[in-house]
Amino acid sequence: MAPPDLPLFERDREQAVLSAVIGELRSGRPALVTVTGEPGLGQNELLRWAAGQARDRGVHVLAARATSAEHELRYGVVAQLLAPEDRDIATRLFVAPQRPGGLPGLNHLLTACHDRPTLLVVQDVQWLDPASLRWLEALARRLPRAPLALLTSTTGTAIDRPEWSVGTPLTGLASTIELALPPLTTSGVSAAVRTVCGVPGDTDFTHALAQATRGVPAVVHEVLLRFTRTGCAPRAEHVEHLRALTAEVVGDHAAQALSELRDPVAVDVLRALAVCGDLLDFPLVCTLAGLHPVPEARLRATLMASGLLTPRDGSPPGHDAVVRARILEEMPAADRADLYARAARLAQRVAVADQGIAELLLRARPVGAPWAVATLRRGFAAALRSGRRDRATAYLARALDEPLRSEERARVELQLASVQMVTAPTAAERRLHGLIRSTGTGTGLRSQAVDLCLLGGDTRAARLAQPTGPGTLGDPAPCDADVPAPRRGSGTGSPPGRRARAVAGDATAPRGANTSDPAHRDGSDEHPERTATADNDATVSERDELATVGDRHELATVSERHELIALLRVARFLRHEETCPGVPPAPALPEHSHSPAVAGVRAWEHAMAGVHLEASRRLARAAFAPDPGGRPPLVTPRLFACRALFLTDDGDEAEAHLATLLNEAHRQRAAIAIAHVLAVRADLHLRHGRPDAAARDLAAAEAELPPARLHPLFVPYWASLNLVADLQNGRPDRAREIAARPVPSLSEECATSAYLLFARGVLARSEDDPQRARAYFRACGRWLLHYGCVNPAVLPWRSLAAEAAHALGDDAEALRLTREEVRLAARWGTRSALGRAELGLAVVIRENRTEHFRAAVATLSESPARTDYTRAVLELASAESAEAERRTALALTSRRASTAGGVAPGRLPGFSQAPPAPAGVPPGRGAAPHPRPPAGWPALSPAEHETALLAASGLANREIATTLSVTTRAVELRLSGVYRKLRIRGREELRALRYGPEGG
């Protein structure tokens, strides 16, 4: 209730009405005034003010206050009113038997009022006992015959509604007034702050106080009193402290009101409302509280009279969160958990929404019913859809408290860990490690747990899944990395472990060996048909092996073992732990396996070693085939298979598979899988010259997996993607900021460090710092070779280091590096890798540079590496322009030369007397003359010439804009001018003009 010294802020209208009533009472005019409002709005304070005003004007005042404790005391309020007139009235009222129709003391009071005007003040009439209520109603009917006024206060709904408060004919000619008190406005709260604190409060502080207290004067006053005791000034920086104090005050008021509530049935209903008042209507809440004889209307009135329940905008009554919490805190923990369980059952029977039932189950004891787990899992999915990951994990953690079968429990644990990988990675790792160690885990769940751990950066899980007994995970014999793999059909009785390496080829490089050495190559890459035969033999042998496995459980065990080996190979690539004492080397991939996971990892290992292009492509595609045993697919091997596909120049196919992976991850609500798929797709976009799409994917990935939650093993990879995307999107300042960020120490132990070193080298190269660029590219190369990666398609560090060496005058190193990259790219066999290598060689070589550039252009024109192709075209244009004896009309501007004067009159850019010879064809052989340039070409400006050539080469407008450092709108305007001057209708005709009728 409001403290006695609470100032009456914003009560001027009510005070004026009460002053007028007192003035008319002195003139003999009776009145009946009721002051209503929520608890704490100052009703009783206003009544005390009116009583003081009446006494000052000579009016006789009789006062009383009803309380919940005296609700059953007969004539309790009447005794308080009449005690000043008759000291023995209380004894007679409480002890004497009640006579039918008797109204003790009423006639004596009415007689005395004729001699002097009297004001009766009764506070909190909602707690009137029935006898006092009848007495006051009888008094109200007699008011017109006496100079007497009745002034009462109530919280809005009395248990038994007094008839005088509705202005019925019972009151006759007496004035009947009802004053409803509103909460304080912001101005009133501001005045209270100034009064209590002694200084004005700033705007933010005042608004926060008004919002937290809802303008209730009693709460405002007490909060400000406690706030001033802390010595703080009413400023915005103390708003959080103010809110904490407000919650404390509101809770204290609720506890006080609850202690005053004497009716046990009302207490039970109040607790039930605190549990599920927002989910169930009032009759169902009363049912939850239990069978009782009290009518619903009386229960509602009792609760609202207590101030613990208030109507809101005509909706069912509700509680503030603080009040609810304080009500439930008063209950024993066991009773509270049981009440929540009963509420969940009732809500489930009346078909409440899943999330509402899940909220009840969070605080309930285990209910032991199947619907509980199903409801919690549906609530988990709904919470994830709304972005409430913390609540989603709480639902699944609560589901684990219910009795579950072992396999179902393991699935819930796995689903929970997939979300906790983002919110609480340490807890997720502990949970997954428990699944990996468990012997009763269902089919495929151990592999999925290891797969999820790898997505989270935990490479220890793959080691943890390795059994200690020989011949269970890997081959019985240890892998001998120093023994060369025998050829198939040689008849040598090699151990099974070595035989596995022979089938896998040299994709799995010996640890510590320099795989760039041509001596490391075996004969398999020289005879690809042998590899195909070996794979076919492996398929037949696999069927034979599986046919001998009669037991379904044994088949599942073999499949799981193969998956775990594949995941262990991935862990080995991510982080070399084999150099640590006591860590055994990772076993080779199985010789015969039907597992898609093995196929995906083997495809990546082939790609890393830069051998077996067709086998790598075939295995990568096999990684997306359904598992013959129906095992669920793993994410990590398929991601590596996608990376192998865009290293084999099958980027479109890889993008389709990534879209499938992304849809699957979205269906499973696996945020960490979504983030990794988006990161790999951003890598693909960068390789294909789409930096804007890469930036969008990286932003979406960081929304799913914030950088602060990213495992250190993946920090370099993500940083490199962001750095290159920003650099290609024309944001060098952001790229420099990313390059300068420190990385965790653990990041320096993983294979992805090579990507960040490479990206820093690219940044240094863009800043014309060849010394620093060469240092970064060299470090990148050393790191890749340490992890057995020699394929230049992964990162072309050799050619870029060669360009930096060439800029520094070290031509010998430049030629050595570029020729080595050309050799390795030719061994791998993709157009993009070979074209980049040829372009790097053309940049650093002195003899026949133009022919080397032409070879690079011809190779890259058939590859998806559009950015490298554009650069090769520009470099070729620059080289041809520099040849005085063979000057063509090609006016492309390279990054190092100006376009002015680069076009000979009457020549067409891209048209020459001798077109570029295909790669490997000497100049002058196999060259067919191009058609003569059409009319209108001499009228094109140099800018239109370069734009037309790039458009005819197949580049999109955005790619042309990036290449020429102009806006997309400028490219559109240039092409419009080209089409108009050449009198053509679009790109197809432009391409026909560029390449001739046979396509060049």
Side-chain angles (χ1 to χ4, degrees):
M1 296 305 165
D5 56 346
L6 179 67
L8 294 173
F9 294 112
E10 297 185 327
R11 298 293 181 254
D12 297 337
R13 181 183 68 87
E14 291 79 5
Q15 289 174 321
V17 171
L18 293 178
S19 295
V21 167
I22 294 171
E24 292 181 352
L25 179 61
R26 295 185 61 194
S27 302
R29 297 188 181 91
L32 198 155
V33 182
T34 303
V35 182
T36 65
E38 294 182 20
L41 291 180
Q43 301 93 313
N44 294 340
E45 176 65 19
L46 191 61
L47 263 62
R48 287 191 287 269
W49 176 87
Q53 292 290 315
R55 292 190 185 94
D56 293 341
R57 298 186 185 186
V59 175
H60 184 55
V61 178
L62 298 177
R65 180 180 181 181
T67 63
S68 60
E70 297 180 354
H71 177 63
E72 301 298 332
L73 181 61
R74 188 180 62 175
Y75 291 120
V77 170
V78 174
Q80 295 180 53
L81 286 173
L82 300 181
E85 304 294 326
D86 186 354
R87 293 182 179 180
D88 299 329
I89 187 66
T91 303
R92 295 198 301 273
L93 290 175
F94 299 155
V95 177
Q98 183 177 5
R99 292 178 298 172
L103 298 170
L106 180 59
N107 292 330
H108 177 74
L109 175 64
L110 294 173
T111 302
C113 288
H114 286 287
D115 298 332
R116 53 180 179 178
T118 302
L119 175 66
L120 270 64
V121 179
V122 182
Q123 302 177 22
D124 298 328
V125 295
Q126 70 270 14
W127 299 119
L128 281 173
D129 60 275
S132 296
L133 178 62
R134 291 194 301 272
W135 193 92
L136 289 174
E137 287 176 346
L139 173 67
R141 288 192 293 270
R142 293 167 173 76
L143 282 182
R145 300 196 295 269
L148 186 144
L150 177 60
L151 177 59
T152 62
S153 68
T154 178
T155 56
T157 303
I159 297 175
D160 292 314
R161 179 77 171 173
E163 294 185 4
W164 70 76
S165 60
V166 293
T168 64
L170 294 177
T171 58
L173 301 177
S175 300
T176 303
I177 302 172
E178 183 171 351
L179 299 176
L181 300 183
L184 295 179
T185 64
T186 304
S187 299
V189 174
S190 179
V193 172
R194 186 169 52 252
T195 302
V196 178
C197 298
V199 293
D202 60 18
T203 304
D204 292 339
F205 183 90
T206 302
H207 280 294
L209 179 61
Q211 183 180 14
T213 61
R214 295 189 294 125
V216 177
V219 180
V220 170
H221 187 256
E222 189 169 347
V223 168
L224 289 175
L225 287 178
R226 297 189 186 186
F227 182 80
T228 54
R229 294 192 193 106
T230 63
C232 298
R235 297 290 180 262
E237 57 266 23
H238 299 130
V239 165
E240 292 303 322
H241 178 53
L242 175 73
R243 290 184 177 134
L245 286 176
T246 304
E248 183 181 333
V249 170
V250 171
D252 291 345
H253 284 202
Q256 179 65 26
L258 187 61
S259 66
E260 295 175 355
L261 193 60
R262 305 294 181 179
D263 187 352
V265 175
V267 172
D268 290 340
V269 173
L270 185 65
R271 289 171 173 173
L273 279 169
V275 167
C276 57
D278 292 338
L279 300 176
L280 306 176
D281 55 17
F282 194 78
L284 286 175
V285 171
C286 293
T287 302
L288 178 64
L291 298 176
H292 50 78
V294 184
E296 177 187 324
R298 183 175 180 84
L299 277 173
R300 190 189 297 268
T302 302
L303 295 176
M304 297 186 71
S306 69
L308 294 170
L309 193 65
T310 55
R312 296 181 180 177
D313 302 327
S315 60
H319 295 280
D320 290 329
V322 175
V323 176
R324 287 186 179 190
R326 188 57 66 94
I327 290 171
L328 295 175
E329 283 175 5
E330 303 295 326
M331 295 182 65
D335 294 347
R336 184 168 59 246
D338 181 72
L339 178 60
Y340 271 108
R342 290 189 287 110
R345 288 195 188 94
L346 181 59
Q348 194 269 341
R349 286 200 297 270
V350 298
V352 173
D354 288 333
Q355 279 195 281
I357 304 175
E359 285 293 322
L360 295 175
L361 289 171
L362 278 182
R363 300 166 181 83
R365 57 169 176 78
V367 297
W371 61 263
V373 176
T375 301
L376 287 166
R377 296 184 75 172
R378 290 194 298 269
F380 160 81
L384 281 186
R385 284 195 297 269
S386 60
R388 302 168 61 205
R389 287 177 178 158
D390 292 340
R391 184 57 68 184
T393 56
Y395 290 153
L396 281 191
R398 171 60 184 83
L400 293 173
D401 293 336
E402 296 290 333
L404 296 169
R405 292 180 291 106
S406 59
E407 184 171 348
E408 186 179 7
R409 179 174 297 277
R411 294 188 183 279
V412 174
E413 292 263 13
L414 186 68
Q415 195 174 22
L416 175 57
S418 69
V419 181
Q420 286 183 327
M421 272 296 182
V422 176
T423 60
T426 303
E429 288 180 8
R430 288 197 300 267
R431 197 176 297 279
L432 292 173
H433 287 184
L435 285 177
I436 294 169
R437 291 191 183 98
S438 175
T439 57
T441 305
T443 303
L445 292 183
R446 292 184 70 222
S447 300
Q448 290 184 74
V450 177
D451 183 36
L452 189 55
C453 283
L454 288 178
L455 290 176
D458 178 18
T459 57
R460 297 172 301 166
R463 295 283 181 190
L464 186 65
Q466 181 177 9
T468 56
T472 51
L473 179 61
D475 294 313
C479 295
D480 190 356
D482 298 328
V483 178
R487 297 178 186 270
R488 194 170 270 280
S490 61
T492 57
S494 57
R498 300 181 186 177
R499 201 161 51 243
R501 296 186 62 84
V503 175
D506 60 352
T508 306
R511 183 164 51 93
N514 183 4
T515 52
S516 63
D517 189 352
H520 178 63
R521 297 166 53 193
D522 59 16
S524 58
D525 53 330
E526 298 176 3
H527 303 281
E529 67 279 0
R530 293 185 181 179
T531 304
T533 304
D535 289 340
N536 292 334
D537 292 344
T539 303
V540 174
S541 300
E542 174 190 337
R543 287 196 296 266
D544 294 341
E545 178 187 356
L546 294 179
T548 62
V549 182
D551 187 5
R552 189 178 185 87
H553 175 72
E554 185 177 351
L555 174 60
T557 303
V558 171
S559 300
E560 183 179 80
R561 185 168 67 247
H562 290 182
E563 287 178 346
L564 293 177
I565 293 173
L567 294 173
L568 184 57
R569 299 293 297 181
V570 172
R572 177 187 178 274
F573 167 73
L574 291 176
R575 183 184 180 192
H576 263 324
E577 295 180 320
E578 297 173 359
T579 56
C580 302
V583 177
L589 290 170
E591 180 180 359
H592 309 302
S593 177
H594 65 288
S595 171
V598 173
V601 175
R602 182 181 287 171
W604 172 248
E605 291 190 348
H606 282 331
M608 288 278 290
V611 294
H612 308 314
L613 173 65
E614 290 302 325
S616 178
R617 180 180 287 123
R618 183 170 56 255
L619 288 168
R621 291 167 178 168
F624 294 93
D627 186 271
R631 297 173 63 82
L634 304 179
V635 176
T636 306
R638 288 184 291 168
L639 280 179
F640 276 89
C642 287
R643 295 173 70 178
L645 280 175
F646 60 72
L647 292 181
T648 60
D649 279 357
D650 298 296
D652 293 340
E653 188 175 350
E655 191 168 3
H657 287 310
L658 287 172
T660 302
L661 279 173
L662 191 61
N663 291 334
E664 178 185 303
H666 276 296
R667 286 195 303 270
Q668 296 175 354
R669 310 293 174 189
I672 193 165
I674 294 171
H676 280 286
V677 173
L678 289 170
V680 173
R681 194 169 71 175
D683 192 352
L684 175 62
H685 287 321
L686 290 176
R687 290 173 181 270
H688 287 192
R690 300 189 291 263
D692 50 348
R696 288 194 297 271
D697 275 350
L698 289 172
E702 291 182 359
E704 295 288 339
L705 181 61
R709 297 288 188 182
L710 186 64
H711 194 276
L713 289 182
F714 300 117
V715 168
Y717 182 59
W718 286 43
S720 67
L721 296 177
N722 279 285
L723 192 157
V724 175
D726 285 335
L727 200 59
Q728 293 186 7
N729 282 317
R731 294 190 286 266
D733 293 339
R734 289 181 55 178
R736 282 190 288 270
E737 179 186 350
I738 294 172
R741 290 176 189 166
V743 295
S745 58
L746 184 59
S747 300
E748 301 173 359
E749 304 176 13
C750 61
T752 58
S753 296
Y755 287 86
L756 183 56
L757 292 170
F758 184 84
R760 287 172 174 170
V762 172
L763 177 62
R765 181 171 176 266
S766 70
E767 295 174 342
D768 293 328
D769 189 349
Q771 187 73 37
R772 190 159 53 95
R774 181 170 67 168
Y776 278 128
F777 290 133
R778 281 175 169 177
C780 169
R782 287 192 297 271
W783 207 245
L784 287 175
L785 293 176
H786 173 70
Y787 278 87
C789 178
V790 297
N791 192 349
V794 178
L795 291 174
W797 62 271
R798 295 176 182 85
S799 58
L800 296 184
E803 291 184 25
H806 177 67
L808 294 172
D810 192 350
D811 291 341
E813 181 186 3
L815 287 173
R816 179 181 62 81
L817 288 172
T818 52
R819 284 169 177 163
E820 183 181 7
E821 181 161 330
V822 169
R823 178 179 57 79
L824 293 172
R827 185 178 75 166
W828 177 236
T830 60
R831 287 287 184 175
S832 57
L834 183 58
R836 279 193 296 263
E838 291 174 342
L839 177 59
L841 178 61
V843 170
V844 302
I845 201 169
R846 295 183 181 275
E847 298 81 9
N848 298 325
R849 295 186 66 211
T850 304
E851 301 308 323
H852 285 290
F853 278 128
R854 285 173 180 161
V857 169
T859 305
L860 288 170
S861 66
E862 301 177 13
S863 78
R866 306 310 301 168
T867 302
D868 294 307
Y869 173 67
T870 303
R871 183 193 171 207
V873 170
L874 294 175
E875 294 284 4
L876 174 60
S878 178
E880 288 183 338
S881 299
E883 292 184 358
E885 69 278 10
R886 299 182 62 233
R887 181 177 302 275
T888 68
L890 184 60
L892 280 176
T893 302
S894 70
R895 294 184 179 91
R896 300 189 291 268
S898 172
T899 59
V903 181
R907 297 295 184 92
L908 169 65
F911 287 81
S912 60
Q913 299 301 322
V921 179
R925 296 185 182 180
H930 277 232
R932 295 178 58 82
W937 277 99
L940 298 181
S941 67
E944 290 172 336
H945 277 298
E946 28 180 58
T947 305
L949 179 59
L950 293 176
S953 301
L955 270 67
N957 287 358
R958 185 179 294 275
E959 296 173 318
I960 298 173
T962 302
T963 302
L964 302 179
S965 299
V966 296
T967 63
T968 306
R969 179 58 178 165
V971 173
E972 295 171 353
L973 293 175
R974 290 182 186 181
L975 288 178
S976 298
V978 170
Y979 300 154
R980 185 179 65 255
K981 292 176 182 179
L982 298 182
R983 297 181 181 180
I984 61 177
R985 288 174 293 183
R987 286 176 180 264
E988 293 301 325
E989 295 186 26
L990 182 63
R991 183 175 176 81
L993 292 175
R994 165 65 177 85
Y995 291 104
E998 297 180 0

